[in-house]
Coordinates of all heavy atoms in Angstrom, one line a residue:
M9 N 143.7 241.6 156.4 CA 142.3 241.4 156.6 C 141.8 240.5 155.4 O 142.1 240.8 154.3 CB 141.5 242.7 156.6 CG 140.1 242.5 156.8 SD 139.0 244.0 156.7 CE 139.6 245.0 158.0
T10 N 141.0 239.4 155.8 CA 140.5 238.5 154.8 C 139.3 239.1 154.2 O 138.4 239.5 155.0 CB 140.3 237.1 155.4 OG1 141.5 236.7 156.0 CG2 139.8 236.2 154.3
Q11 N 139.1 239.1 152.8 CA 137.9 239.6 152.3 C 136.8 238.5 152.3 O 137.1 237.3 151.9 CB 138.2 240.0 150.9 CG 137.1 240.7 150.2 CD 137.5 241.3 148.8 OE1 138.5 240.9 148.2 NE2 136.7 242.2 148.3
M12 N 135.7 238.8 152.6 CA 134.5 237.9 152.7 C 133.9 237.7 151.3 O 133.8 238.8 150.6 CB 133.4 238.3 153.6 CG 133.6 238.0 155.0 SD 132.1 238.4 155.9 CE 132.6 239.2 157.3
D13 N 133.5 236.5 150.9 CA 132.7 236.4 149.6 C 131.3 236.9 149.9 O 130.9 237.1 151.1 CB 132.8 235.1 149.1 CG 132.2 233.9 149.8 OD1 131.4 234.3 150.8 OD2 132.3 232.8 149.5
E14 N 130.5 236.9 148.9 CA 129.1 237.5 149.1 C 128.2 236.6 150.0 O 127.5 237.1 150.7 CB 128.5 237.5 147.7 CG 127.5 238.5 147.5 CD 127.0 238.7 146.0 OE1 127.8 239.1 145.2 OE2 125.8 238.4 145.8
A15 N 128.4 235.3 149.8 CA 127.5 234.3 150.6 C 128.0 234.5 152.1 O 127.1 234.4 153.0 CB 127.7 232.9 150.1
Q16 N 129.2 234.5 152.4 CA 129.7 234.7 153.8 C 129.3 236.0 154.4 O 128.9 236.0 155.6 CB 131.2 234.5 153.9 CG 131.7 234.5 155.4 CD 131.2 233.4 156.1 OE1 131.4 232.2 155.8 NE2 130.6 233.6 157.3
A17 N 129.3 237.0 153.6 CA 128.9 238.3 154.1 C 127.4 238.3 154.4 O 126.9 238.9 155.4 CB 129.2 239.4 153.1
L18 N 126.6 237.6 153.5 CA 125.1 237.5 153.8 C 124.8 236.7 155.1 O 124.0 237.2 155.9 CB 124.4 236.9 152.6 CG 122.9 236.7 152.7 CD1 122.2 238.0 153.0 CD2 122.4 236.0 151.5
V19 N 125.5 235.6 155.2 CA 125.2 234.8 156.4 C 125.6 235.5 157.7 O 125.0 235.3 158.7 CB 125.7 233.3 156.2 CG1 127.2 233.3 156.5 CG2 125.0 232.4 157.1
T20 N 126.7 236.2 157.6 CA 127.2 237.0 158.8 C 126.2 238.0 159.1 O 125.9 238.3 160.3 CB 128.6 237.6 158.5 OG1 129.6 236.4 158.3 CG2 129.1 238.3 159.7
S21 N 125.7 238.7 158.1 CA 124.7 239.8 158.3 C 123.4 239.2 158.9 O 122.9 239.7 159.9 CB 124.3 240.4 157.0 OG 123.4 241.4 157.1
I22 N 123.0 238.1 158.5 CA 121.8 237.4 159.0 C 122.0 237.1 160.5 O 121.2 237.3 161.3 CB 121.4 236.2 158.2 CG1 120.9 236.5 156.8 CG2 120.3 235.4 158.9 CD1 120.8 235.4 155.8
G23 N 123.2 236.5 160.8 CA 123.5 236.0 162.2 C 123.6 237.2 163.1 O 123.0 237.1 164.2
E24 N 124.3 238.2 162.7 CA 124.4 239.4 163.5 C 123.1 240.1 163.8 O 122.8 240.6 164.9 CB 125.5 240.4 163.0 CG 126.9 239.7 163.2 CD 128.1 240.6 162.6 OE1 127.7 241.6 162.0 OE2 129.2 240.2 162.7
F25 N 122.3 240.3 162.7 CA 121.0 240.9 162.9 C 120.2 240.1 163.8 O 119.4 240.7 164.6 CB 120.4 241.1 161.4 CG 119.2 241.9 161.4 CD1 119.1 243.3 161.5 CD2 117.9 241.2 161.5 CE1 118.0 244.0 161.5 CE2 116.7 241.9 161.4 CZ 116.7 243.3 161.5
T26 N 120.1 238.8 163.6 CA 119.3 237.9 164.4 C 119.7 238.0 165.9 O 118.9 238.2 166.8 CB 119.3 236.5 163.9 OG1 119.0 236.4 162.6 CG2 118.5 235.6 164.8
L27 N 121.1 238.0 166.1 CA 121.6 238.1 167.4 C 121.1 239.5 168.1 O 120.7 239.5 169.3 CB 123.1 238.0 167.4 CG 123.9 237.9 168.7 CD1 123.4 236.7 169.5 CD2 125.4 237.9 168.4
D28 N 121.2 240.5 167.3 CA 120.8 241.8 167.9 C 119.2 241.9 168.1 O 118.8 242.4 169.1 CB 121.2 243.0 166.9 CG 122.7 243.2 166.9 OD1 123.4 242.9 167.9 OD2 123.2 243.9 166.0
A29 N 118.5 241.2 167.2 CA 117.0 241.3 167.3 C 116.6 240.5 168.5 O 115.7 240.9 169.2 CB 116.4 240.7 166.0
L30 N 117.2 239.3 168.8 CA 116.8 238.5 169.9 C 117.4 238.9 171.2 O 116.8 238.7 172.3 CB 117.1 237.0 169.5 CG 116.4 236.4 168.3 CD1 116.8 235.0 168.1 CD2 114.9 236.6 168.3
G31 N 118.6 239.3 171.1 CA 119.4 239.7 172.4 C 120.2 238.5 172.9 O 119.7 237.4 173.0
R32 N 121.4 238.8 173.2 CA 122.4 237.7 173.6 C 121.9 237.1 175.0 O 122.1 235.9 175.2 CB 123.8 238.3 173.9 CG 124.5 238.6 172.6 CD 125.8 239.4 172.9 NE 126.6 239.4 171.7 CZ 126.5 240.3 170.7 NH1 125.5 241.1 170.7 NH2 127.3 240.3 169.6
D33 N 121.2 237.8 175.8 CA 120.8 237.2 177.1 C 119.7 236.1 176.9 O 119.5 235.4 177.8 CB 120.3 238.3 178.0 CG 119.2 239.1 177.5 OD1 119.1 239.4 176.2 OD2 118.2 239.6 178.2
R34 N 119.0 236.1 175.8 CA 118.0 235.1 175.6 C 118.5 233.8 175.0 O 117.7 232.9 174.8 CB 116.9 235.7 174.6 CG 116.1 236.8 175.2 CD 115.3 237.5 174.3 NE 114.0 236.9 174.1 CZ 113.1 237.3 173.3 NH1 113.3 238.3 172.5 NH2 111.9 236.6 173.2
L35 N 119.8 233.8 174.6 CA 120.3 232.7 173.7 C 121.4 232.0 174.5 O 122.2 232.5 175.2 CB 120.9 233.3 172.5 CG 119.9 234.0 171.5 CD1 120.6 234.6 170.3 CD2 118.9 233.0 171.0
N36 N 121.4 230.7 174.2 CA 122.5 229.9 174.6 C 123.4 229.6 173.3 O 124.5 229.2 173.5 CB 122.1 228.5 175.1 CG 121.7 228.6 176.6 OD1 122.0 229.5 177.3 ND2 120.8 227.7 177.1
G37 N 122.8 229.7 172.1 CA 123.5 229.6 170.9 C 122.7 229.9 169.7 O 121.4 229.9 169.8
L38 N 123.3 230.3 168.6 CA 122.7 230.6 167.4 C 123.6 230.1 166.3 O 124.8 230.3 166.3 CB 122.5 232.2 167.3 CG 122.0 232.7 166.0 CD1 120.5 232.4 165.8 CD2 122.2 234.2 165.9
W39 N 123.0 229.5 165.3 CA 123.8 228.9 164.2 C 123.0 229.2 162.9 O 121.9 229.0 162.7 CB 123.8 227.3 164.4 CG 124.7 226.7 163.3 CD1 124.2 226.2 162.2 CD2 126.0 226.4 163.4 NE1 125.2 225.6 161.5 CE2 126.3 225.7 162.2 CE3 127.0 226.6 164.3 CZ2 127.7 225.3 162.0 CZ3 128.3 226.1 164.1 CH2 128.6 225.5 162.9
V40 N 123.7 229.9 162.0 CA 123.2 230.2 160.7 C 124.0 229.6 159.7 O 125.2 229.8 159.6 CB 123.0 231.8 160.5 CG1 122.4 232.2 159.2 CG2 122.3 232.4 161.7
S41 N 123.3 228.9 158.7 CA 124.1 228.3 157.6 C 123.3 228.7 156.3 O 122.2 229.0 156.4 CB 124.2 226.8 157.7 OG 123.0 226.2 157.7
L42 N 124.0 228.7 155.3 CA 123.5 229.1 153.9 C 124.0 228.2 152.8 O 125.1 227.9 152.7 CB 123.9 230.6 153.7 CG 123.5 231.1 152.3 CD1 122.0 231.3 152.2 CD2 124.2 232.4 152.1
D43 N 123.1 227.7 152.0 CA 123.5 227.0 150.7 C 123.3 228.1 149.7 O 122.3 228.4 149.2 CB 122.6 225.9 150.5 CG 123.0 225.0 149.4 OD1 123.7 225.6 148.5 OD2 122.5 223.9 149.2
P44 N 124.5 228.6 149.2 CA 124.4 229.7 148.2 C 123.8 229.2 146.8 O 123.3 230.1 146.1 CB 125.8 230.2 148.0 CG 126.7 229.3 148.8 CD 125.8 228.4 149.6
R45 N 123.8 227.9 146.6 CA 123.3 227.5 145.3 C 121.8 227.6 145.3 O 121.2 227.8 144.2 CB 123.7 226.0 145.0 CG 125.2 225.8 144.9 CD 125.6 224.4 145.0 NE 125.2 223.9 146.3 CZ 124.9 222.7 146.6 NH1 124.9 221.7 145.7 NH2 124.6 222.4 147.9
T46 N 121.1 227.3 146.4 CA 119.6 227.3 146.4 C 119.1 228.6 147.2 O 117.9 228.8 147.2 CB 119.2 226.1 147.2 OG1 119.7 226.1 148.6 CG2 119.6 224.9 146.5
A47 N 120.0 229.4 147.7 CA 119.6 230.6 148.5 C 118.7 230.2 149.6 O 117.7 230.8 150.0 CB 118.9 231.6 147.6
R48 N 119.0 229.1 150.3 CA 118.2 228.6 151.4 C 119.1 228.7 152.7 O 120.2 228.2 152.7 CB 117.9 227.1 151.2 CG 117.0 226.5 152.4 CD 116.7 225.1 152.1 NE 116.1 224.5 153.3 CZ 116.8 223.8 154.2 NH1 118.1 223.6 154.0 NH2 116.1 223.3 155.2
G49 N 118.6 229.4 153.7 CA 119.4 229.5 154.9 C 118.6 228.9 156.1 O 117.4 228.8 156.1
D50 N 119.4 228.2 157.0 CA 118.9 227.7 158.2 C 119.4 228.4 159.4 O 120.5 228.8 159.5 CB 119.4 226.2 158.3 CG 118.8 225.3 157.2 OD1 117.6 225.4 157.0 OD2 119.6 224.7 156.6
V51 N 118.4 228.8 160.3 CA 118.7 229.5 161.5 C 118.3 228.6 162.6 O 117.2 228.2 162.8 CB 118.0 230.8 161.6 CG1 118.3 231.5 162.9 CG2 118.2 231.7 160.4
V52 N 119.3 228.1 163.4 CA 119.0 227.2 164.6 C 119.3 228.0 165.8 O 120.4 228.6 166.0 CB 120.0 226.0 164.5 CG1 119.7 225.0 165.6 CG2 119.8 225.3 163.1
V53 N 118.3 228.0 166.7 CA 118.3 228.8 167.9 C 118.3 227.9 169.1 O 117.4 227.1 169.3 CB 117.1 229.8 167.9 CG1 117.0 230.6 169.1 CG2 117.1 230.7 166.6
A54 N 119.1 228.1 170.0 CA 119.2 227.5 171.3 C 118.8 228.6 172.4 O 119.6 229.5 172.6 CB 120.5 226.8 171.6
L55 N 117.6 228.6 172.9 CA 117.2 229.6 173.8 C 117.6 229.3 175.3 O 117.7 228.1 175.7 CB 115.7 229.7 173.8 CG 115.0 230.2 172.5 CD1 113.6 230.0 172.6 CD2 115.4 231.6 172.3
A56 N 117.9 230.3 176.0 CA 118.2 230.1 177.5 C 117.0 229.6 178.3 O 117.1 228.8 179.0 CB 118.7 231.5 178.1
D57 N 115.8 230.1 177.8 CA 114.5 229.6 178.3 C 113.7 229.0 177.1 O 113.2 229.7 176.3 CB 113.7 230.7 178.9 CG 112.3 230.3 179.2 OD1 111.9 229.1 179.2 OD2 111.4 231.3 179.4
N58 N 113.8 227.7 177.0 CA 113.3 226.9 175.9 C 111.8 226.6 176.1 O 111.3 225.6 175.5 CB 114.1 225.7 175.5 CG 114.0 225.2 174.1 OD1 113.7 226.1 173.2 ND2 114.1 224.0 173.8
S59 N 111.1 227.4 176.7 CA 109.6 227.1 177.0 C 108.9 227.4 175.7 O 109.3 228.1 174.8 CB 109.1 228.0 178.1 OG 109.1 229.3 177.8
D60 N 107.7 226.9 175.6 CA 106.7 227.2 174.5 C 106.4 228.7 174.3 O 106.5 229.2 173.2 CB 105.5 226.4 174.6 CG 105.7 224.9 174.4 OD1 106.7 224.5 173.8 OD2 104.7 224.2 174.7
A61 N 106.2 229.3 175.4 CA 105.9 230.7 175.4 C 107.1 231.5 174.9 O 106.9 232.5 174.0 CB 105.5 231.2 176.8
E62 N 108.3 231.2 175.3 CA 109.5 231.9 174.8 C 109.8 231.6 173.3 O 110.1 232.5 172.6 CB 110.7 231.6 175.6 CG 111.9 232.3 175.2 CD 111.9 233.8 175.5 OE1 111.0 234.4 176.0 OE2 112.9 234.5 175.2
Q63 N 109.5 230.4 172.9 CA 109.7 230.1 171.4 C 108.7 230.9 170.6 O 109.1 231.4 169.6 CB 109.4 228.6 171.3 CG 110.6 227.7 171.7 CD 110.4 226.3 171.4 OE1 109.5 225.8 170.7 NE2 111.3 225.4 171.9
K64 N 107.5 231.0 171.1 CA 106.5 231.8 170.3 C 106.9 233.2 170.2 O 106.8 233.8 169.2 CB 105.1 231.6 170.9 CG 104.5 230.2 170.7 CD 103.2 230.1 171.4 CE 102.7 228.6 171.3 NZ 101.4 228.4 172.1
A65 N 107.3 233.8 171.4 CA 107.8 235.2 171.4 C 108.9 235.4 170.4 O 109.0 236.4 169.6 CB 108.1 235.6 172.8
V66 N 109.9 234.5 170.5 CA 111.1 234.6 169.6 C 110.7 234.4 168.2 O 111.3 235.1 167.2 CB 112.1 233.6 170.1 CG1 113.2 233.4 169.0 CG2 112.7 234.1 171.4
L67 N 109.8 233.5 167.9 CA 109.4 233.2 166.5 C 108.8 234.5 165.9 O 109.1 234.8 164.7 CB 108.4 232.1 166.5 CG 108.1 231.5 165.1 CD1 109.4 231.0 164.4 CD2 107.2 230.3 165.2
L68 N 108.1 235.3 166.6 CA 107.5 236.5 166.0 C 108.6 237.4 165.7 O 108.6 238.1 164.7 CB 106.6 237.2 167.1 CG 105.2 236.4 167.3 CD1 104.6 237.1 168.5 CD2 104.4 236.4 166.1
E69 N 109.7 237.5 166.5 CA 110.8 238.3 166.1 C 111.5 237.8 164.9 O 112.1 238.5 164.1 CB 111.7 238.5 167.3 CG 111.0 239.3 168.4 CD 111.9 239.4 169.8 OE1 113.0 239.7 169.6 OE2 111.3 239.3 170.8
L70 N 111.7 236.4 164.8 CA 112.3 235.9 163.7 C 111.6 236.1 162.4 O 112.3 236.2 161.3 CB 112.5 234.3 163.9 CG 113.5 233.9 165.0 CD1 113.4 232.5 165.2 CD2 114.9 234.4 164.7
F71 N 110.3 236.3 162.5 CA 109.6 236.7 161.2 C 110.0 238.1 160.7 O 110.0 238.3 159.5 CB 108.1 236.6 161.5 CG 107.5 235.3 161.6 CD1 106.4 235.0 162.5 CD2 108.1 234.1 161.0 CE1 105.9 233.8 162.6 CE2 107.6 232.8 161.1 CZ 106.5 232.6 161.9
D72 N 110.3 238.9 161.7 CA 110.9 240.3 161.2 C 112.2 240.1 160.6 O 112.5 240.8 159.7 CB 110.9 241.2 162.5 CG 109.5 241.5 163.0 OD1 108.6 241.5 162.3 OD2 109.6 241.9 164.2
V73 N 113.0 239.2 161.1 CA 114.4 239.0 160.5 C 114.1 238.4 159.1 O 114.8 238.9 158.2 CB 115.2 237.9 161.3 CG1 116.5 237.5 160.6 CG2 115.5 238.5 162.7
E74 N 113.2 237.5 158.9 CA 112.9 236.9 157.6 C 112.5 238.0 156.7 O 112.9 238.0 155.5 CB 111.8 235.9 157.7 CG 111.5 235.2 156.5 CD 110.3 234.2 156.7 OE1 109.4 234.4 157.5 OE2 110.4 233.1 156.1
A75 N 111.7 239.0 157.1 CA 111.2 240.0 156.2 C 112.4 240.9 155.7 O 112.3 241.3 154.5 CB 110.2 240.9 157.0
V76 N 113.3 241.1 156.5 CA 114.5 241.9 156.1 C 115.3 241.2 154.9 O 115.7 241.9 154.0 CB 115.5 242.1 157.3 CG1 116.7 242.8 156.8 CG2 114.7 243.0 158.3
Y77 N 115.4 239.9 155.0 CA 116.2 239.2 154.0 C 115.3 238.4 153.0 O 116.0 237.6 152.1 CB 117.1 238.2 154.8 CG 118.1 238.9 155.6 CD1 117.9 239.1 157.0 CD2 119.2 239.4 155.1 CE1 118.8 239.7 157.8 CE2 120.2 240.1 155.9 CZ 119.9 240.3 157.2 OH 120.9 241.0 158.0
M78 N 114.1 238.6 152.9 CA 113.2 237.8 151.9 C 113.6 238.0 150.5 O 113.3 237.1 149.7 CB 111.7 238.1 152.2 CG 111.3 239.5 151.7 SD 109.5 239.8 152.1 CE 108.7 238.3 152.2
D79 N 114.2 239.1 150.1 CA 114.5 239.1 148.7 C 115.9 238.5 148.4 O 116.2 238.3 147.2 CB 114.7 240.6 148.3 CG 113.3 241.4 148.3 OD1 112.3 240.6 148.1 OD2 113.3 242.6 148.4
E80 N 116.6 238.0 149.4 CA 117.9 237.4 149.1 C 118.0 235.9 149.4 O 118.7 235.2 148.9 CB 119.0 238.1 150.0 CG 119.1 239.6 149.7 CD 120.0 240.4 150.6 OE1 121.2 240.2 150.4 OE2 119.4 241.0 151.5
V81 N 117.2 235.4 150.4 CA 117.3 234.1 150.9 C 116.0 233.7 151.6 O 115.2 234.4 152.0 CB 118.5 234.0 151.9 CG1 118.2 234.8 153.2 CG2 118.9 232.5 152.2
V82 N 115.7 232.3 151.4 CA 114.6 231.8 152.1 C 115.1 231.1 153.4 O 116.0 230.3 153.5 CB 114.0 230.6 151.3 CG1 112.9 229.9 152.0 CG2 113.5 231.2 150.0
L83 N 114.6 231.6 154.6 CA 115.0 231.2 155.9 C 114.1 230.1 156.5 O 112.9 230.3 156.4 CB 115.2 232.4 156.8 CG 116.3 233.4 156.5 CD1 116.1 234.6 157.4 CD2 117.7 232.8 156.4
T84 N 114.7 229.1 157.2 CA 114.1 228.2 157.9 C 114.5 228.2 159.4 O 115.8 228.4 159.6 CB 114.3 226.8 157.4 OG1 114.0 226.7 156.0 CG2 113.6 225.7 158.2
F85 N 113.6 228.2 160.3 CA 114.0 228.4 161.8 C 113.7 227.1 162.5 O 112.7 226.5 162.3 CB 113.2 229.5 162.4 CG 113.3 230.9 161.7 CD1 112.3 231.4 160.8 CD2 114.5 231.6 161.7 CE1 112.4 232.6 160.2 CE2 114.6 232.8 161.1 CZ 113.6 233.3 160.3
R86 N 114.6 226.8 163.4 CA 114.4 225.6 164.3 C 115.0 226.0 165.7 O 115.9 226.7 165.8 CB 115.4 224.4 163.8 CG 114.8 223.7 162.7 CD 115.7 222.4 162.4 NE 117.0 222.7 162.1 CZ 118.0 222.0 162.5 NH1 117.9 221.1 163.3 NH2 119.2 222.4 162.1
F87 N 114.3 225.4 166.6 CA 114.7 225.5 168.0 C 115.3 224.2 168.5 O 114.8 223.2 168.2 CB 113.6 225.9 169.0 CG 112.9 227.3 168.7 CD1 111.8 227.4 167.9 CD2 113.6 228.4 169.1 CE1 111.2 228.6 167.7 CE2 113.1 229.7 168.9 CZ 111.9 229.8 168.2
V88 N 116.4 224.3 169.2 CA 117.1 223.1 169.8 C 117.3 223.3 171.3 O 117.3 224.5 171.7 CB 118.4 222.8 169.0 CG1 118.1 222.4 167.6 CG2 119.3 223.9 169.1
D89 N 117.6 222.2 172.0 CA 117.8 222.4 173.4 C 119.2 223.1 173.8 O 119.3 223.6 174.8 CB 117.8 221.0 174.1 CG 116.4 220.4 174.1 OD1 115.4 221.2 174.1 OD2 116.3 219.1 174.0
G90 N 120.1 222.9 172.9 CA 121.4 223.6 173.2 C 122.3 223.5 172.0 O 122.0 222.9 171.0
P91 N 123.5 224.3 172.1 CA 124.4 224.3 170.9 C 124.8 222.9 170.5 O 125.2 222.7 169.3 CB 125.5 225.2 171.4 CG 125.1 225.8 172.7 CD 124.0 225.0 173.2
D92 N 124.9 222.0 171.4 CA 125.4 220.6 171.0 C 124.3 219.8 170.2 O 124.7 218.8 169.7 CB 125.8 219.9 172.3 CG 126.9 220.5 173.0 OD1 127.8 221.2 172.3 OD2 127.1 220.3 174.2
A93 N 123.1 220.3 170.2 CA 122.1 219.5 169.5 C 122.0 219.8 168.0 O 121.2 219.2 167.3 CB 120.7 220.0 170.1
I94 N 122.9 220.6 167.5 CA 123.0 220.9 166.0 C 123.6 219.6 165.4 O 124.7 219.2 165.8 CB 123.7 222.1 165.7 CG1 123.1 223.3 166.4 CG2 123.8 222.4 164.3 CD1 123.8 224.6 166.4
E95 N 123.0 219.1 164.3 CA 123.5 217.9 163.7 C 124.9 218.2 163.1 O 125.2 219.3 162.6 CB 122.5 217.5 162.6 CG 121.2 217.0 163.1 CD 120.1 218.2 163.2 OE1 120.5 219.3 162.7 OE2 119.1 217.9 163.8
S96 N 125.7 217.1 163.0 CA 127.0 217.3 162.4 C 127.0 217.7 160.9 O 127.9 218.3 160.5 CB 127.8 216.0 162.6 OG 127.2 214.9 162.1
D97 N 125.9 217.2 160.2 CA 126.0 217.6 158.8 C 125.7 219.1 158.6 O 126.2 219.7 157.7 CB 124.9 216.7 158.0 CG 123.5 216.9 158.5 OD1 123.3 217.2 159.7 OD2 122.6 216.8 157.7
A98 N 124.9 219.7 159.5 CA 124.7 221.2 159.5 C 126.0 221.9 159.8 O 126.2 223.0 159.3 CB 123.6 221.6 160.5
R99 N 126.8 221.3 160.6 CA 128.1 221.9 160.9 C 129.0 222.0 159.7 O 130.0 222.8 159.7 CB 128.8 221.2 162.0 CG 128.1 221.4 163.3 CD 128.9 220.7 164.5 NE 128.2 220.6 165.7 CZ 128.2 221.7 166.7 NH1 128.9 222.7 166.4 NH2 127.6 221.5 167.8
Q100 N 128.8 221.1 158.7 CA 129.7 221.1 157.5 C 129.2 222.0 156.4 O 129.9 222.2 155.5 CB 129.8 219.6 157.0 CG 130.4 218.7 158.0 CD 130.3 217.3 157.5 OE1 129.9 217.0 156.5 NE2 130.7 216.4 158.4
T101 N 128.0 222.6 156.5 CA 127.5 223.5 155.6 C 128.2 224.8 155.7 O 128.5 225.3 156.8 CB 126.0 223.7 155.8 OG1 125.2 222.5 155.8 CG2 125.4 224.7 154.8
T102 N 128.6 225.3 154.5 CA 129.3 226.7 154.6 C 128.6 227.6 153.6 O 128.0 227.1 152.7 CB 130.8 226.5 154.1 OG1 130.8 225.9 152.9 CG2 131.5 225.7 155.2
P103 N 128.6 228.9 153.8 CA 129.2 229.5 155.0 C 128.3 229.5 156.2 O 127.2 229.2 156.1 CB 129.4 230.9 154.4 CG 128.3 231.1 153.3 CD 128.1 229.8 152.8
I104 N 129.0 229.8 157.3 CA 128.2 229.7 158.6 C 128.4 230.9 159.4 O 129.4 231.7 159.2 CB 128.6 228.5 159.4 CG1 130.1 228.5 159.7 CG2 128.2 227.2 158.6 CD1 130.6 227.6 160.8
Y105 N 127.6 231.1 160.4 CA 127.7 232.1 161.5 C 127.3 231.3 162.7 O 126.3 230.7 162.7 CB 126.8 233.3 161.3 CG 126.8 234.3 162.4 CD1 127.8 235.3 162.4 CD2 126.0 234.2 163.4 CE1 127.8 236.2 163.4 CE2 125.9 235.1 164.5 CZ 126.9 236.1 164.5 OH 126.9 237.0 165.6
A106 N 128.2 231.4 163.8 CA 127.8 230.8 165.0 C 128.0 231.7 166.2 O 129.0 232.5 166.3 CB 128.7 229.5 165.2
Y107 N 127.2 231.6 167.1 CA 127.3 232.3 168.4 C 126.9 231.3 169.5 O 125.8 230.7 169.4 CB 126.3 233.5 168.5 CG 126.2 234.1 169.8 CD1 127.2 234.9 170.4 CD2 125.1 233.8 170.7 CE1 127.1 235.5 171.7 CE2 125.0 234.3 171.9 CZ 126.0 235.1 172.4 OH 125.9 235.6 173.7
A108 N 127.7 231.1 170.5 CA 127.4 230.2 171.5 C 128.1 230.7 172.8 O 129.1 231.4 172.7 CB 127.9 228.8 171.2

């Protein structure tokens, strides 16, 4: 078994908690990245229903996720049309958590 470093454990925790909070059936993809130097995390969400109403409902739940991790990391949330819409530079950020 490979041991996770602290940053990878944090980003995995954020990703799994977010996935549980939102529900797999509402998502086409979820991407969480973290810059451990700045304690800044990006959460990119691809919703199955990407309507304004669904984004607003999900955003309220994401604020609850943010509250859980506010002492450890500053989170930024973005909605995209699908998992392929994540920029290639974001894919190079490590550590990461991905669900698609």
Side-chain angles (χ1 to χ4, degrees):
M9 183 186 296
T10 305
Q11 190 173 16
M12 277 192 223
D13 68 8
E14 210 172 292
Q16 184 64 56
L18 178 59
V19 80
T20 299
S21 175
I22 293 167
E24 291 177 355
F25 186 81
T26 303
L27 189 60
D28 288 342
L30 300 181
R32 286 173 167 80
D33 58 323
R34 295 170 85 180
L35 298 173
N36 281 338
L38 175 69
W39 184 271
V40 181
S41 62
L42 174 68
D43 183 344
R45 297 168 296 153
T46 62
R48 180 178 173 265
D50 293 310
V51 179
V52 181
V53 180
L55 294 171
D57 170 14
N58 201 27
S59 67
D60 287 346
E62 182 68 0
Q63 285 183 9
K64 288 176 185 175
V66 166
L67 194 55
L68 291 174
E69 294 177 43
L70 290 172
F71 290 150
D72 292 337
V73 172
E74 181 180 41
V76 170
Y77 294 98
M78 72 183 331
D79 291 337
E80 299 174 77
V81 65
V82 175
L83 294 174
T84 302
F85 303 107
R86 283 189 298 139
F87 294 102
V88 296
D89 289 330
D92 295 334
I94 300 167
E95 295 88 8
S96 61
D97 61 334
R99 293 183 185 273
Q100 296 173 8
T101 305
T102 56
I104 58 163
Y105 175 89
Y107 168 80

